[in-house]
Amino acid sequence: MSPHVFADRPTGQPPERGTVDALISQTRRLLGDVDAVRRETPGPFDGEADAELRWQRALYELAVHQLSDLDRHLAQLREGPAPRPAAAEQRHSSLVSRVGSAEWNLLTDEVTWSDELYRILGRDRLAPALTLDELPALVHRDDQPRLTAMVTDCLIDGKSIDGEFRVVRPDGSARTVHMMGEPVLDADGSTASMWAVVRDVSELRRSQRAVSETRDSLQRQRHIAQTEHRLAVELQEAVLPPWRGSLRLPHGLDVAARYLPSPVGGLIGGNWYDVLELPDEQALLTVGDLSGHGVAAASGMAMLLGTVRGMAVCAAAPDEVLARLNHLLLASPGPSLASALCCRYDPAARTLAWAQAGHPAPLLFRDGSGRALTPPEGALLGAASGARYGPARETLRAGDVLLLHTAGLVPRHNGDIAAQRLLALAPELATAPSAQECVGLIVDELGTGEREDDACVLVARIGP
């Protein structure tokens, strides 16, 4: 059967040495920069929280592998091919470490392998090179059909070879190789031989798998975090008082509140607000948060709200409520009190009795200006054994706006700046027609930024 005839293909000219030197310099500078950044990436990694760092490190490792390979390829281009049989020497000018070459002469049945190909395949240099019919014996069983198809397409249809398969070495170890080749034509345009270069890409593919696996792990963790965040927000909102928007109490007290979840990745759970009309026609206003987050904090918050309401209904003063609540939480295994603000408003006397436990003091806006109320003595940070919370009292006027909020409303690192921004809203709050409008102004100013925790905001407008 006569060899097949294919159209002639132009041969490329080798690049100028100066051009290659410039490319090598650029590659080595980039390799040094990437490797320096890689070395700064922390490790080893422990726990699921480090998935993104593992993914970043894997990408750096892959980039270093690829740039190192590129550097070796360019160096071989500059230095020229290593000594080899003349027939192969004329056609292969880009062989580098971990890259071997082979040529199968279809007319003489002669087979030529480079020393590097022997090393890649793990075969003795003195053993005869394998023919195309014998080559599949080195290939993993599952990949043999792929190699056979590539060789057949090359010899019969003149198609270039470009594909990967696994080879099994005599010692039983497996390597992944990438073969590229094409038919070689004689002077009459007939197929005379087939040549190929074989590159060991095992480490490169390992790095790519590491990137893929860490990326998949990171995506799974982000999905889990988003799901947990959504469920925590739903639970938190289910526990908070059912009313939304403005709530009008007797004697003209106009109240509005808003729960502000943290962004995905922030902390959810334990923040509360509450408003309750008491039997003596006074009103209870509270905000605060528990230690811990998630389901445990939300469940503890439900118990806490019921307890605070019960004590307030029994006419306990705000400082007494916090002291008893502190004692109760310290004696229970659940979350402890992180901070709280408890206020009791008497509309007849227009007085506000309040107590504070490590919480931002209420802000009072009056006549277009604002200020923080002076904290009472004993405003301790959270729960502590034997804690005492001193009482405070403030006389209010018609038209006053009282702002209560949890600490999570603003990032911890710029709380003073955020407080100034809240106080700067005084002129707008003075002209707002309702407590709900006041809440909207506050949320627009501070409620849409990046927060570490969820937060609660409560506004009360004092009626005539």
Side-chain angles (χ1 to χ4, degrees):
M1 177 174 161
S2 62
H4 293 271
V5 179
F6 304 105
D8 289 336
R9 295 172 181 164
T11 58
Q13 297 298 318
E16 294 292 335
R17 183 180 180 87
T19 302
V20 176
D21 285 339
L23 290 174
I24 290 174
S25 297
Q26 294 174 19
T27 301
R28 290 179 178 175
R29 283 197 300 270
L30 181 57
L31 175 59
D33 292 343
V34 174
D35 189 50
V37 176
R38 177 188 63 128
R39 294 176 184 276
E40 295 174 359
T41 305
F45 307 110
D46 299 316
E48 293 298 324
D50 292 328
E52 186 166 358
L53 289 176
R54 288 198 300 272
W55 172 72
Q56 292 175 358
R57 183 61 178 262
L59 276 178
Y60 286 133
E61 295 282 358
L62 176 60
V64 168
H65 273 306
Q66 292 175 323
L67 288 171
S68 298
D69 285 348
L70 177 60
D71 177 49
R72 287 192 289 267
H73 280 73
L74 292 173
Q76 184 63 48
L77 279 173
R78 178 181 62 187
E79 296 165 6
R84 72 190 71 194
E89 194 172 72
Q90 296 174 358
R91 297 181 179 91
H92 312 304
S93 61
S94 60
L95 304 180
V96 299
S97 176
R98 293 189 299 156
V99 179
S101 65
E103 183 166 6
W104 291 270
N105 192 306
L106 304 182
L107 303 179
T108 65
D109 293 330
E110 180 184 5
V111 182
T112 304
W113 281 8
S114 68
D115 290 346
E116 186 61 34
L117 182 56
Y118 275 96
R119 284 191 287 270
I120 291 174
L121 301 179
R123 292 181 61 81
D124 188 342
R125 180 65 182 85
L126 298 178
L130 300 184
T131 66
L132 288 176
D133 292 334
E134 297 170 331
L135 188 61
L138 295 179
V139 179
H140 190 283
R141 180 189 309 172
D142 295 340
D143 296 347
Q144 289 176 1
R146 184 183 312 158
L147 173 63
T148 300
M150 288 192 298
V151 172
T152 300
D153 289 344
C154 180
L155 298 180
I156 302 302
D157 299 326
K159 294 182 179 179
S160 297
I161 292 177
D162 188 353
E164 293 185 8
F165 50 88
R166 290 164 293 174
V167 295
V168 181
R169 292 174 166 180
D171 61 5
S173 62
R175 305 295 291 178
T176 301
V177 299
H178 187 169
M179 175 183 279
M180 297 183 66
E182 60 183 22
V184 179
L185 310 180
D186 60 17
D188 298 328
S190 301
T191 306
S193 63
M194 187 189 91
W195 69 266
V197 291
V198 180
R199 181 186 179 200
D200 186 342
V201 294
S202 302
E203 295 305 315
L204 179 61
R205 296 298 174 253
R206 181 198 61 78
S207 297
Q208 290 175 331
R209 284 195 300 272
V211 170
S212 178
E213 290 169 0
T214 54
R215 182 189 63 239
D216 292 345
S217 175
L218 180 60
Q219 290 175 342
R220 286 194 299 270
Q221 290 187 44
R222 285 175 174 170
H223 176 71
I224 292 172
Q226 291 171 351
T227 302
E228 291 178 345
H229 183 273
R230 175 176 54 80
L231 293 176
V233 170
E234 292 175 355
L235 178 60
Q236 181 83 2
E237 292 177 337
V239 174
L240 288 170
W243 57 271
R244 298 291 186 268
S246 293
L247 178 68
R248 291 193 175 273
L249 299 178
H251 305 286
L253 187 64
D254 179 19
V255 182
R258 182 84 62 86
Y259 169 66
L260 303 172
S262 68
V264 174
L267 302 177
I268 294 291
N271 281 263
W272 85 83
Y273 64 84
D274 192 26
V275 178
L276 178 66
E277 182 182 357
L278 300 174
D280 58 4
E281 296 188 348
Q282 297 186 16
L284 173 72
L285 310 173
T286 65
V287 296
D289 64 282
L290 296 176
S291 64
H293 297 85
V295 175
S299 301
M301 187 181 68
M303 180 272 293
L304 177 143
L305 287 177
T307 302
V308 170
R309 286 183 166 205
M311 289 188 290
V313 167
C314 294
D319 55 316
E320 295 174 336
V321 170
L322 292 184
R324 294 173 185 175
L325 184 63
N326 176 58
H327 176 77
L328 175 65
L329 292 175
L330 284 176
S332 67
S336 61
L337 182 64
S339 63
L341 194 60
C342 184
C343 305
R344 192 180 183 106
Y345 175 63
D346 181 356
R350 285 205 178 123
T351 57
L352 181 76
W354 63 285
Q356 177 187 15
H359 205 78
L363 300 181
L364 177 62
F365 298 89
R366 175 182 294 168
D367 298 331
S369 62
R371 64 180 175 89
L373 299 186
T374 302
E377 295 182 2
L380 301 179
L381 178 59
S385 179
R388 298 179 64 85
Y389 305 94
R393 189 173 295 273
E394 187 78 23
T395 301
L396 302 180
R397 302 177 186 172
D400 284 353
V401 174
L402 193 66
L403 169 60
L404 284 61
H405 68 86
T406 59
L409 178 63
V410 296
R412 298 187 182 97
H413 61 274
N414 63 354
D416 293 340
I417 297 176
Q420 295 173 10
R421 290 169 60 187
L422 284 173
L423 293 175
L425 292 175
E428 297 176 73
L429 295 177
T431 59
S434 67
Q436 181 67 16
E437 292 288 339
C438 293
V439 168
L441 290 170
I442 295 166
V443 171
D444 289 343
E445 180 66 23
L446 289 174
T448 57
E450 290 294 324
R451 296 184 307 278
E452 300 163 349
D453 296 303
D454 50 357
C456 290
V457 177
L458 189 152
V459 170
R461 285 183 61 90
I462 308 303

